Structures are given as structure tokens and as C-alpha cells.
Amino acid sequence: MTSYSLHVLIIGGGLGGLCLAQGLKKAGISVAVYERERTPSDRLQGYRIHIEPQGNLALHACLPPDLFEVYRATADRPGNGLRIVTEQLREISFFPTPAYEGSDPAKLDLAVSRISLRKILLFGLENLVHFDKTFTHYQEGPDGRVTAFFGDGTSVVGDVLVGADGGHSPVRTQLLPQAPRVPTGVVAIMGKLPWSEERREALFISGRFDGPTTILGPKGHGMFTGLFDFTPLPQEYARASADQQERAPQPALFVDTTGSYLFWALIARREKYPFEQDPQLLDGQALQQVALMMVQGWHPHLQQMVRESDPTSVIYKPLHAATEVSAWQTKRITLLGDAIHSMPPTRGIGGNTALRDASLLAQQLIAARNGEKLLLQAIHNYEAEMITYGFAAVRESIQGQEMMVAENSGAFYTG
């Protein structure tokens, strides 16, 4: 086998799709990303995500070295570890995160702003990411190449089409109509409490709100909280000169300035909520009042957290999960991230799994480009491995969800 050129079409400009694009560009493979949002800032979401070692390994593999160092500079530790408590903030279990100050991505646990991470992943792809492109369908040609069609009447042709277009993926709908994304029956009300030193003092309890916390309440009500404290960059980064910024990406360009906050998500089965009308029609203030009703009798600090949150940040979100599928006939069309293994956020591993997909698929496509294996074999190898760990992550996330909404949820951890 000899090496040959490839052109890869990626539908969707989320974290997984952009990470793949970075990995392919780094390897010299032609790539283009098509994103339905109108501008780069449309999808920016002001909250942090936890990047585990598998996600850091993927970013390290796909990003240019200087851009990975920028990511490291804008990220921070996610806290001391995961804490599980009762609704009265009595500790049930604690799973510490070991402190690590080294540079091995396989040992890194980091928290990063989605805004910062997406800006980093977009850096250097300005001419490769096409916005305001709503994918409608694809068509396979007799030569094996794939044509992607868009709502504006345009089309593009590539050697490989990758659906990285999220849980409602039109690419998956066409490729795997037997694998819909389905409701889990559990819904969440989420909000943000703006964070400050005054709030820290008012809500301070040693060992609480200093990292991700799962709260197991009565009657099948659960909650997750995470403090996202945006600390300023060190001065050597913040003072980057204009000349430095032109020569290489500087961390100061990617800082999230939305402010610190305490994130919370109240979750329960849909029938547990005292909604008197369709919750999709309720505004943030009305949803906040529903959440307050549900945490009556909980620790005063938790009630205060919900009561003093910004009403405009409070949203209603039904949780969904992918339908598990076994291997399918390999084509030049494939999927990554939520487009294939969408999962509820109760384990916080969806983003990490998408990044792992991106790194693995990039690795396989590079091998095909280099003539080490046939293109369809490379895609098949990716899919076989991705299906195994991807749906294991879905099952793990669903299990975490069921633990949080069980009537006697504390029994899962106390035995």
C-alpha cells in the first residue's frame, strides 16, 4: 500500500469535531469543518468542564505543542476530589484527586472553561471552519467519495464524512436510523450562583463546595454542585505583548471573563417535579421557584444557593441517552461524540469520551493516509474500539443517574 491524500469533512464544530480537525491539520491531512451556528461565538457556553487523563491525552495528541501549553495555562485543578453528601451536607463518601504538578498528560486532571477550550480548539482553523452551514443529508458516490448537502443549497465532496454534530445528529439519523437518542425519564433544573469572597464566607463549611459534590436527597431528589472559580492568569501570561501574541498563541487571548460561579443541577424523575404546566414554557424565575420548593428542608446553605442564583441562568433540561448499537457495516461515513454515544451528564465523561474519539479517529486516518492500512479498515478499527468504550461510558453515566434519583440513594454508597 502507498500513501495518498485524503480530504475529511467534519459536520459539527463542538469540542470533538474541532479536536479531530486539529489532529488532522497537525498531520497534514486536508480537513474542513461545517458548523450550523452562524458565528464562532454563538455556541460559547460559560461553564467549566472536567478534563480527565483520557481527555488530556487526546488534546496532547491533537493540538500543536504550543497550543497544548496554552490550554494547560488556562486550566486549573478541578478541586480536591468528588464528595458525596446528604441533603444536610453530611459526608457519605469522598474520592480524593491526587495532586499532580508534572507534565504527563496521562496523569493530568484539569478543569477548563468551555469558552476558553473552544477558543483554543478554533485557533489556527479560521480558514477551515465554515459557519452557518446546516447539514441536511449526504450521498455516497460510485467512486466511494461522499457528498454533504446543506440547507443553503450548497454541497461539498470529501473522502470521509464525520458526524460530530451532537445528540440530535442528522448524520446519525441517516446512517443509523435504528439508533435514536431517547429520554431517560429524568430531568434537571440547572442554575448558577455568582461567586465572590462574600459568598464564600457566607456559605463556608470546611470540605464543602471546594470541588464537585453529589448531593443525595430524600424522595428520589438528587443534586450536583461544582465551584468554578476563575483565577487570574499569572502575570507572565497576562502581560503578553502584541509582538508575542503575533508569534505564538498566548494564554491571555483565551481567558474566560464571564466570572466565577457555583453551578448546581437538581435532578429527579419527571413525575417527581410539581409542575403545573409544561416546564418547557416556564422562564428561569418560575423554574427557580420550583427548585426552591423541592429543596425545602435541605441544609440552609443549599436553599440559599438556589434562592440567590441568577434567575436568567436557570434552565430546564430533560436528560437523554443513546440507543446502544453493535457494529454496523463500515462506510466512509462515521460518527463521534454525542452523535453516537450521547449520555446523561451524571458522570461528567461525555466531553472526555468525545475527545478520545477524536484522537483515535485521527490516529486511524493518519495510518490510512500513510498507506499502513486501507481506509475502510482504518474506519472499522476506530468504530470497533469506540463502540466498546463509548457505550461503556453511556452505561456508567446511566448508572450514576439512577443512583442519584433512587428513593434510597444513600444506600448505594453506605452499603
Side-chain angles (χ1 to χ4, degrees):
M1 288 183 283
T2 58
S3 62
Y4 62 99
S5 62
L6 282 177
H7 181 56
V8 179
L9 310 176
I10 301 174
I11 307 300
L15 301 185
L18 293 177
C19 185
L20 174 60
Q22 287 282 0
L24 296 177
K25 177 176 180 268
K26 182 180 177 181
I29 293 178
S30 176
V31 60
V33 181
Y34 298 89
E35 166 58 47
R36 63 182 174 83
E37 302 293 353
R38 295 181 61 191
T39 70
S41 60
D42 280 1
R43 192 190 280 216
L44 291 183
Q45 299 163 308
Y47 58 93
R48 279 196 169 190
I49 58 172
H50 178 195
I51 306 295
E52 297 179 348
Q54 65 172 346
N56 285 305
L57 280 169
L59 289 168
H60 184 264
C62 292
L63 291 175
D66 55 353
L67 211 49
F68 183 77
E69 289 309 310
V70 167
Y71 157 70
R72 286 287 311 273
T74 57
D76 203 352
R77 288 194 65 207
N80 298 326
L82 173 65
R83 202 175 300 273
I84 300 171
V85 302
T86 70
E87 85 282 1
Q88 300 303 329
L89 296 182
R90 179 179 61 80
E91 185 174 293
I92 297 173
S93 299
F94 178 59
F95 304 93
T97 300
Y100 177 68
E101 302 299 332
S103 58
D104 183 355
K107 298 179 181 178
L108 286 176
D109 258 297
L110 296 172
V112 64
S113 159
R114 270 189 179 266
I115 290 177
S116 294
L117 182 55
R118 189 155 188 265
K119 286 180 178 179
I120 289 166
L121 289 170
L122 279 167
F123 189 85
L125 301 180
E126 291 83 1
N127 296 325
L128 304 179
V129 180
H130 307 273
F131 291 94
D132 200 15
K133 303 294 287 187
T134 300
F135 171 86
T136 58
H137 65 287
Y138 65 79
Q139 183 176 312
E140 299 170 84
D143 59 354
R145 304 190 82 204
V146 184
T147 303
F149 295 88
F150 302 96
D152 60 5
T154 61
S155 63
V156 291
V157 180
D159 298 290
V160 180
L161 175 71
V162 181
D165 47 347
H168 298 287
S169 169
V171 179
R172 183 196 67 242
T173 300
Q174 183 175 352
L175 179 66
L176 300 174
Q178 76 277 22
R181 181 173 177 253
V182 296
T184 66
V186 172
V187 301
I189 296 178
M190 306 177 178
K192 297 178 187 176
L193 174 69
W195 198 246
S196 63
E197 283 304 314
E198 293 77 12
R199 283 247 164 78
R200 187 188 301 275
E201 292 175 7
L203 297 177
F204 179 77
I205 298 177
S206 181
R208 304 296 184 269
F209 303 126
D210 58 355
T213 302
T214 295
I215 299 155
L216 304 179
K219 304 176 183 178
H221 299 168
M223 181 179 275
F224 174 82
T225 69
L227 175 60
F228 301 128
D229 198 354
F230 293 83
T231 54
L233 282 174
Q235 286 302 309
E236 63 265 29
Y237 293 128
R239 292 175 179 171
S241 67
D243 182 56
Q244 287 175 312
Q245 293 176 7
E246 286 183 6
R247 289 198 313 262
Q250 299 296 317
L253 296 173
F254 304 96
V255 174
D256 184 343
T257 58
T258 56
S260 301
Y261 60 88
L262 184 65
F263 168 81
W264 56 268
L266 178 68
I267 75 168
R269 298 197 184 281
R270 171 65 179 81
E271 61 269 18
K272 295 282 186 178
Y273 285 85
F275 293 125
E276 296 182 356
Q277 59 177 304
D278 184 350
Q280 304 276 17
L281 303 178
L282 299 179
D283 61 16
Q285 190 169 17
L287 290 168
Q288 187 175 23
Q289 292 305 309
V290 171
L292 273 172
M293 290 174 57
M294 295 180 68
V295 298
Q296 282 184 4
W298 290 29
H299 192 283
H301 285 7
L302 295 173
Q303 296 185 59
Q304 180 182 355
M305 176 186 68
V306 175
R307 185 171 55 252
E308 296 183 2
S309 290
D310 177 4
T312 64
S313 75
V314 181
I315 61 171
Y316 171 81
K317 183 177 178 64
L319 306 188
H320 293 78
T323 299
E324 188 163 348
V325 291
S326 55
W328 56 89
Q329 181 182 356
T330 300
K331 301 182 177 184
R332 291 195 185 192
I333 304 101
T334 193
L335 303 163
L336 70 73
D338 283 352
I340 178 61
H341 45 60
S342 174
M343 62 196 78
T346 39
R347 255 292 280 120
I349 54 177
N352 287 277
T353 310
L355 293 174
R356 181 177 179 180
D357 293 349
S359 177
L360 175 61
L361 182 53
Q363 174 189 333
Q364 292 292 334
L365 292 176
I366 291 167
R369 186 277 311 269
N370 292 343
E372 298 168 13
K373 57 184 70 176
L374 295 173
L375 179 57
L376 286 180
Q377 184 62 53
I379 296 172
H380 174 80
N381 291 352
Y382 159 71
E383 291 173 344
E385 187 173 343
M386 175 271 292
I387 288 170
T388 300
Y389 68 71
F391 285 107
V394 174
R395 292 191 295 272
E396 184 181 345
S397 297
I398 292 174
Q399 182 183 38
Q401 171 191 272
E402 293 306 301
M403 287 180 177
M404 288 187 70
V405 301
E407 291 288 342
N408 187 23
S409 52
F412 281 99
Y413 296 96
T414 61

